[in-house]
Every structure is written in C-alpha cells, then in structure tokens.
Amino acid sequence: TNTNNFPLGETQDNKQISNVRLPPWAKGSPHEFIRIHRLALESEYVSRHLHHWIDLIFGYKQRGPASSAAHNVFHYYSYEGSVDLDKITDEIERKAIEGHIQNFGQTPSQLITKLPHPERSAKEKQSVATFESLRTGDLKVHTPAKQFGGPKSPCGAIISLHA
C-alpha cells in the first residue's frame, strides 16, 4: 500500500517498515481508508465537539487542575519546559530522559491557558448541514473512476444520502 515508498520507520528489532496492513473495513484500499476517515473528521459530530479536543491538547485542560479533572495527565517529562536537558550533568540521567521523551513524545505548546476554546458560532453552525437522524449506513460515497481519475486522483467524491 506504500506506493510512494515513504520511510515508515523501523521495528524495535531494526527491520524497515515499508507497508502497513489496513483494517478489514478498508477492503484493502488505501483510498477507502482515507475516504472513511475524511467522512469521520468532516462530520457534524466532530465539528460540534472539536473545541473540547482543542482544550485538551492546546488549551486550559492540558495542565493543572483542569487536566486532572479531565483525566488528561501525562508524565512530567512530556511537558514543554519541564526539564532542561542542557543543565543535566549526569550523562546517564540525560540519556535516560532523552530516551523517555523520544519514546513517549512531548505534549504540544499550551496556547490557551485560562478559558475554554469557544464553540462554533451560531452563524457557522447554520452553514453546516446537519443529518443527525441518519445512521452511518445511510451515507454512501462513490468516486467514479472516469470522472475523477479513480482512487489515485486527488479530486473529491460524490456523496449521496439514502434517508
């Protein structure tokens, strides 16, 4: 599935990863995998709840009492500014902390420190069509091979609703 030969890293035993296994619902198609993820990420549900995610990742729920209440607490090495590697004189300790950060990652910079991120405004909410009564099976997407160039085309798809 990695037709562009992107470097996907290596396993813990240093074997190069050149492809990934797609989940069964993707039916062996990277195009289908991306299509379904786009549907989910562009859904009304995600749009209505995105501000909560922003609060957890970049906002006031990233640190402090609000992060504890939201069960959004990570090891202190992951937080920006929590450790100054240049001031650690013990090489073993510094390498251990660097290894921890490399293996478990770092939280992004906290951009919003005091207030929750606002929800979409009423005007923005009106511009997005809501289909709350539809089930996942009611949404069908089809990309005609001749019209859009098939699965490898960067163009969009036709969405039809079956209510």
Side-chain angles (χ1 to χ4, degrees), residues 2-73:
N2 185 10
T3 57
N4 293 316
N5 295 316
F6 289 118
L8 300 177
E10 57 187 42
T11 63
Q12 290 180 334
D13 58 353
N14 298 322
K15 292 181 182 174
Q16 292 294 318
I17 300 171
S18 60
N19 283 304
V20 295
R21 271 184 268 161
L22 297 173
W25 51 261
K27 301 173 187 159
S29 168
H31 179 71
E32 180 72 358
F33 180 84
I34 296 298
R35 181 189 69 78
I36 290 172
H37 277 86
R38 279 186 179 165
L39 284 175
L41 290 172
E42 295 171 2
S43 71
E44 181 62 23
Y45 177 86
V46 170
S47 293
R48 280 186 282 136
H49 294 87
L50 186 60
H51 65 284
H52 297 299
W53 178 83
I54 292 169
D55 288 339
L56 290 169
I57 305 303
F58 301 106
Y60 79 106
K61 289 183 180 179
Q62 187 194 76
R63 298 181 185 206
S67 69
S68 295
H71 305 287
N72 190 40
V73 180

Side-chain angles (χ1 to χ4, degrees), residues 44 47 51 117-128:
E44 181 62 23
S47 293
H51 65 284
H117 189 277
E119 294 181 55
R120 290 190 318 181
S121 68
K123 184 177 182 181
E124 289 172 316
K125 287 179 184 177
Q126 290 173 354
S127 66
V128 176

